[in-house]
Amino acid sequence: QVQLVESGGGLVQPGGSLRLSCVASGSFFSIANMGWYRQAPGKQREFVASIIFGGSTKYADSVKGRFTISRDNAKNTVYLQMNSLKPEDTAVYYCNSQIAAMSSWGQGTQVTVSS
């Protein structure tokens, strides 16, 4: 089982930026497909962005052009740079790793966009 620990959430004004980090345990990070998901109050968890072990990325339409996912295999870390934040980006953000059939989740980090 991979353990994931997110950090970097907080309160930010509309138009501001945050960078989330997710550190993974274990020695298989470099071959893991990593993703960020979010869940707003009263809503289902939704896909935000992903990056496969080869480096290709995907984004939800709602964050394209504003969010950037990246990874540092030497640090077992995946990042989510969030720019031009909107109130509708408010949610708990979760990190996910997928290695073969094994899926792991972090505990989540709260992002609140409000003036």
Side-chain angles (χ1 to χ4, degrees):
Q1 187 77 13
V2 176
Q3 292 188 330
L4 304 171
V5 179
E6 302 102 330
S7 63
L11 174 63
V12 63
Q13 292 187 341
S17 297
L18 282 175
R19 188 176 80 155
L20 306 183
S21 300
C22 171
V23 180
S25 65
S27 58
F28 298 99
F29 181 82
S30 63
I31 64 169
N33 295 328
M34 302 298 297
W36 287 96
Y37 291 73
R38 66 187 182 186
Q39 187 167 17
K43 294 188 177 181
Q44 290 188 333
R45 191 173 298 188
E46 65 176 4
F47 169 78
V48 175
S50 65
I51 183 166
I52 67 172
F53 66 91
S56 296
T57 58
K58 290 184 179 180
Y59 297 92
D61 287 344
S62 59
V63 307
K64 279 181 182 176
R66 300 189 298 123
F67 291 11
T68 303
I69 188 171
S70 61
R71 65 191 296 161
D72 185 338
N73 289 339
K75 295 182 178 179
N76 278 18
T77 302
V78 62
Y79 304 97
L80 185 68
Q81 177 66 45
M82 305 185 295
N83 298 328
S84 302
L85 282 161
K86 305 175 181 180
E88 51 263 44
D89 294 317
T90 295
V92 178
Y93 283 70
Y94 296 92
C95 179
N96 173 265
S97 71
Q98 190 76 35
I99 303 172
M102 183 173 69
S103 180
S104 301
W105 294 90
Q107 82 289 348
T109 186
Q110 176 70 46
V111 172
T112 302
V113 184
S114 175
S115 55

